[in-house]
Amino acid sequence: MMPFAAAFACPSMPALDPAAATILVVEDEPTVCELAAEALLEEGYRVLTAADAWEAEAILARESVDMLFTDIDLARNTNGLALARRARSVCPDLPVIYTSGGRACLSAADAVSESVFVPKPYRPSQLVALTNDILRTAHHHHA
């Protein structure tokens, strides 16, 4: 077991209020989903997970989510691109991060505006850093 103490070292930047940020991780590969969720949980975020777009949409319908992190090719032939578009139609300011092992980049035509694409394999620490950046920026916009 790796000691988790390092994860709780004082961050150099002021931490967000963890209660303020809920992240929906949509990933059909259980190990990958777990790694991403664990990294975000350790950072103090509230994390919800789904394996496909239908599950994710059910969560979005009943939960207030601050960021969507979705794989593009999901279980049950569902698609993260369509999911993000539907999520944005309900919540226009929702930050979106896409990931995929099958492509190296994402065209602007496919992605929702101001979203970020991270090719797989990504490191959980990369995801956490990106999430912190995106949510800090989002909070500054609202402030």
Side-chain angles (χ1 to χ4, degrees):
M1 279 291 281
M2 272 178 46
F4 284 127
F8 298 109
C10 295
S12 53
M13 298 187 71
L16 284 168
D17 172 14
T22 298
I23 298 168
L24 175 55
V25 175
V26 190
E27 168 61 68
D28 58 359
E29 183 59 59
T31 352
V32 178
C33 188
E34 200 174 309
L35 281 172
E38 274 178 16
L40 292 164
L41 285 166
E42 279 172 32
E43 191 70 7
Y45 292 108
R46 177 168 172 253
V47 181
L48 305 168
T49 60
D52 61 52
W54 298 338
E55 217 179 301
E57 285 184 40
I59 291 170
L60 288 165
R62 66 171 190 262
E63 294 272 357
S64 163
V65 169
D66 297 288
M67 193 186 86
L68 172 65
F69 175 58
T70 183
D71 192 8
I72 291 170
D73 306 300
L74 295 163
R76 294 202 276 192
N77 288 332
T78 58
N79 175 301
L81 300 173
L83 168 66
R85 277 195 288 274
R86 283 194 292 271
R88 272 288 176 88
S89 66
V90 180
C91 181
D93 291 332
L94 183 70
V96 175
I97 302 179
Y98 297 102
T99 186
S100 175
R103 52 184 92 198
C105 62
L106 190 55
S107 77
D110 285 334
V112 294
S113 65
E114 292 186 34
S115 56
V116 181
F117 176 76
V118 182
K120 285 182 180 175
Y122 57 83
R123 292 193 305 280
S125 58
Q126 271 177 299
L127 172 59
V128 167
L130 195 52
T131 302
N132 289 342
D133 282 353
I134 288 172
L135 291 174
R136 276 200 190 95
T137 313
H139 282 286
H140 289 314
H141 285 319
H142 297 305

